[in-house]
Each structure stands twice: as structure tokens, then as C-alpha cells.
């Protein structure tokens, strides 16, 4: 809003920001339920297929959400994700809907306030919905419930940039455990040990398993400097060490992140989402307790910041 905006068009903010109760850096936004309902009613006639086929409609949703949330909502989200002190937030639909199309629309609006989503090769869409269940025959830890899903960044094995990632919980039943785990690089107690090792700057080869539908061979170092300062790119499953020294370095690095006191467990109720800066956060998932009725559905979106 600038000085010439008529007074009646300036809306009060329809959200509050507080510290997240489980993570010292994340912020929690609580959105006004009337504004959320008004947003969902506003975009009711836009179907999800339209969003999948027409990229500019995803930005239309972002624009509508900003209009309903008022005062600097979009700018606030971008500033949080780019702010090294925070770099992440949690927010949700506050129970106003349990409809999965509404979840896709809301998540899309939040993501596209930051910028365009990348194509997700696993789903062949700009987002992916996936289940974690009792049984799984997949080829990575993503859908395996009873394994620790080790700390990692996203987008390691593709050439395009992955600036931010969004994860939204759609549904969860009979789930004990399985919490998200987040580590901000500056909270990693042994960070300097791995940054100062010459292997931290050496380009390493990444290759994805078949389910990812990505055949690229990407080389990137674990640590690099970028727009947000010291940054990391790492995932244990897809990095291909060329020798024993690289393998040992990567194994020690992974174990150190898992065991760092800075790695915090965060619970995410259905209808809530988390967004992280992918350059200075690593994320993972705790194992679930065994339950044959375990059912959890998540949506992910990953993208770049708007230019
Ligand atoms: Fe991930």
C-alpha cells in the first residue's frame, strides 16, 4: 500500500505471529478464520486440475490469499523465509476445512507467495501428495514409516535451484511418532568441524533412485556460500562417494546432524504446513511406532524465490 491508496482499501492484518512452541527459530502464524473462509469461498470455483495445467492460476491464488490476509502478509512470509535468524514458519487452515482440494489450494497460495513451484518429477505435477503406511515397497526412505528418515536438504539431484520447501499434512491416523525434525545450520554444534574439512568443498556426485524419475547426474559440494550465507546441500541416500575418505566424511557428517542438540522435533497437525529455507535448514522425520492401520498423507511443494 502506498500513500495514494484510499483508506477504505487498507485492511488490518488478519494474522498473528508468535514464537513456535517446539522450535526456537521457527515462527508460528495464526490466521484469522473469517479471512480463511473468505479466501476459500473466493477460490471455490477454481479446480485443482486448473492449477495443475495453468501456472499463472497458482499465482492468482497467492494474490487472492494476500488480499484476504491484509497488511503485508506476503511480504511478511517472504521476509521470514529469507531471514537467517528464522528461515521457516508454520501455519494452517485453523480447522476451517478438511477438504483435500482446499488443502492443495491453500498450500499453493502460500508457496506461490514465495515464488514458482518446481516441477516434481515423482508426481509429474508442481506438487506431490504421498502416503506413509504400514507397508511400503518403494526405493527410498520417503515412504518407509519405521525408518529414521535422515536429515537432508531437498533438490540435491536436480540441476534447478530449490530455494524453499513446503510440507503440508493432509491426514494422519493411528500415528505415534513420525514427527518432523529440523536443524538450522547455525544451531549445529559441530558445523565448523565439517565446514573446515577440505572435503566439505569438494563437488560430489548425486544420483536419484528410479522412483524419482530423474536421470541427471549432478555434482555439488556439501557446503557453499550464497545469498543467505553459508549453505548446505546433502542427502545420504543419493550422494555417491568416490572413495573411502569421502564416504567416511559423509557418514560422520550425517551422524553429527542426527545427534546435534540443535535438531528439534516438531509436530504438525493435519491442515498445517511448514515452509523452510532449503539453504540453511536440513530436515528429516522420526520413525513411527508400528501400527498396521498407520495412515498419513503429506503434500510437498518446492520452488524458487520470485525474481
Ligand atoms: Fe525432504
Amino acid at each position: 500500500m502506498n500513500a495514494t491508496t484510499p483508506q477504505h482499501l487498507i485492511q488490518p492484518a488478519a494474522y498473528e505471529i508468535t514464537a513456535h512452541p517446539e522450535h526456537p527459530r521457527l515462527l508460528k502464524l495464526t490466521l484469522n478464520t473469517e479471512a480463511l473462509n473468505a479466501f476459500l469461498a473466493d477460490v471455490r470455483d477454481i479446480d485443482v486440475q486448473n492449477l495443475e495445467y495453468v501456472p499463472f492460476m497458482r499465482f492468482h491464488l497467492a494474490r487472492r490469499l494476500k488480499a484476504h490476509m491484509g497488511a503485508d502478509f506476503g511480504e511478511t512470509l517472504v521476509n521470514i523465509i529469507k531471514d537467517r535468524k528464522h528461515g521457516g514458519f508454520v501455519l494452517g487452515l485453523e480447522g476451517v476445512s478438511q477438504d483435500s482440494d482446499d488443502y492443495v489450494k491453500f498450500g499453493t497460495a502460500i508457496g506461490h507467495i514465495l515464488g514458482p513451484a518446481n516441477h516434481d518429477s515423482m508426481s509429474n505435477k508442481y506438487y506431490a501428495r504421498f502416503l506413509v503406511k504400514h507397508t511400503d515397497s518403494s526405493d527410498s526412505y520417503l515412504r518407509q514409516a519405521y525408518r529414521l528418515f535422515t536429515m537432508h536438504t531437498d533438490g540435491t539431484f536436480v540441476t534447478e535451484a530449490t530455494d524453499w520447501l513446503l510440507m503440508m499434512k493432509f491426514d494422519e491416523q493411528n500415528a505415534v511418532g513420525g514427527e518432523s525434525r529440523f536443524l538450522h545450520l547455525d544451531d549445529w554444534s559441530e558445523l565448523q568441524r565439517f565446514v573446515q574439512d577440505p572435503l566439505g568443498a569438494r563437488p560430489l556426485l548425486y544420483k536419484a533412485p528410479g522412483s524419482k524419475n530423474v536421470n541427471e547426474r549432478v555434482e555439488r559440494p556439501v557446503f557453499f556460500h550464497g545469498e543467505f550465507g553459508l549453505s548446505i546441500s546433502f542427502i545420504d541416500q543419493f550422494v555417491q562417494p568416490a572413495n573411502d575418505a569421502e564416504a567416511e566424511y559423509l557418514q560422520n557428517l550425517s551422524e553429527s546432524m542426527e545427534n546435534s542438540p540443535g535438531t528439534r522435533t516438531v509436530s504438525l497437525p493435519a491442515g498445517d504446513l511448514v515452509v523452510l529455507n532449503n539453504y540453511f535448514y536440513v530436515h528429516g522425520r522420526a520413525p513411527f511406532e508400528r501400527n498396521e492401520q498407520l495412515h498419513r498423507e503429506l503434500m510437498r511443494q518446492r520452488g524458487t524465490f520470485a525474481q
Side-chain angles (χ1 to χ4, degrees):
M1 295 281 174
N2 58 42
T4 58
T5 305
Q7 205 58 43
H8 69 278
L9 291 180
I10 300 174
Q11 292 186 35
Y15 59 94
E16 282 178 10
I17 306 177
T18 52
H20 191 279
E22 295 169 306
H23 195 289
R25 293 195 182 261
L26 292 182
L27 295 175
K28 180 175 167 54
L29 282 81
T30 306
L31 311 191
N32 176 282
T33 53
E34 277 175 39
L36 284 170
N37 275 318
F39 164 72
L40 292 177
D42 190 357
V43 301
R44 182 161 296 140
D45 293 336
I46 298 169
D47 62 46
V48 167
Q49 189 187 60
N50 188 209
L51 298 173
E52 292 172 1
Y53 289 1
V54 185
F56 66 65
M57 289 306 292
R58 306 167 199 165
F59 285 94
H60 173 82
L61 283 192
R63 210 178 306 123
R64 295 315 305 150
L65 183 60
K66 284 191 279 190
H68 287 284
M69 287 302 146
D72 307 328
F73 181 67
E75 212 178 309
T76 299
L77 297 191
V78 173
N79 289 343
I80 294 170
I81 296 302
K82 291 188 172 184
D83 182 348
R84 181 88 183 190
K85 291 195 300 292
H86 298 292
F89 60 76
V90 172
L91 54 78
L93 272 173
E94 304 296 337
V96 303
S97 174
Q98 279 79 41
D99 179 81
S100 61
D101 282 0
D102 286 344
Y103 285 5
V104 172
K105 290 181 202 178
F106 180 69
T108 299
I110 296 292
H112 285 75
I113 284 173
L114 302 174
N118 293 344
H119 179 74
D120 194 313
S121 298
M122 197 173 83
S123 62
N124 239 343
K125 296 176 178 151
Y126 72 92
Y127 66 93
R129 289 170 62 173
F130 54 93
L131 292 175
V132 176
K133 297 183 305 209
H134 176 64
T135 53
D136 173 67
S137 56
S138 67
D139 55 4
S140 83
Y141 291 156
L142 176 65
R143 285 162 285 181
Q144 294 183 5
Y146 306 125
R147 289 289 311 242
L148 175 73
F149 188 1
T150 35
M151 305 298 280
H152 65 280
T153 58
D154 276 11
T156 52
F157 50 80
V158 293
T159 46
E160 65 190 345
T162 304
D163 295 343
W164 53 264
L165 68 116
L166 177 155
M167 289 173 286
M168 183 165 186
K169 179 89 51 78
F170 273 34
D171 184 35
E172 188 165 71
Q173 281 153 36
N174 306 300
V176 178
E179 301 90 352
S180 299
R181 304 175 79 226
F182 303 135
L183 173 63
H184 187 296
L185 217 47
D186 301 340
D187 297 335
W188 177 10
S189 40
E190 293 187 305
L191 172 68
Q192 285 309 319
R193 173 186 156 199
F194 294 97
V195 170
Q196 282 160 17
D197 190 311
L199 290 177
R202 184 182 290 182
L204 301 171
L205 178 65
Y206 281 87
K207 276 192 285 190
S211 70
K212 308 292 184 188
N213 302 320
V214 175
N215 292 315
E216 291 175 284
R217 291 163 62 93
V218 176
E219 281 197 347
R220 49 174 91 243
V222 174
F223 296 107
F224 56 98
H225 287 270
E227 182 185 348
F228 306 103
L230 179 65
S231 303
I232 184 168
S233 181
F234 172 74
I235 184 162
D236 61 352
Q237 299 173 81
F238 312 134
V239 64
Q240 314 290 330
N243 54 50
D244 189 52
E246 289 182 6
E248 193 180 15
Y249 172 81
L250 293 167
Q251 185 177 359
N252 289 337
L253 173 133
S254 179
E255 284 171 8
S256 174
M257 291 193 297
E258 296 304 329
N259 296 322
S260 174
T263 297
R264 300 294 179 93
T265 295
V266 174
S267 48
L268 196 69
D272 274 18
L273 61 81
V274 57
V275 180
L276 297 176
N277 186 308
N278 192 48
Y279 293 106
F280 53 84
Y281 271 96
V282 287
H283 61 279
R285 185 187 67 220
F288 288 92
E289 288 183 17
R290 288 191 82 79
N291 187 321
E292 291 187 9
Q293 264 67 53
L294 171 66
H295 179 99
R296 181 164 92 161
E297 182 171 13
L298 282 179
M299 174 177 72
R300 73 176 178 205
Q301 289 183 33
R302 301 179 286 212
T304 55
F305 291 120
Q307 297 298 305

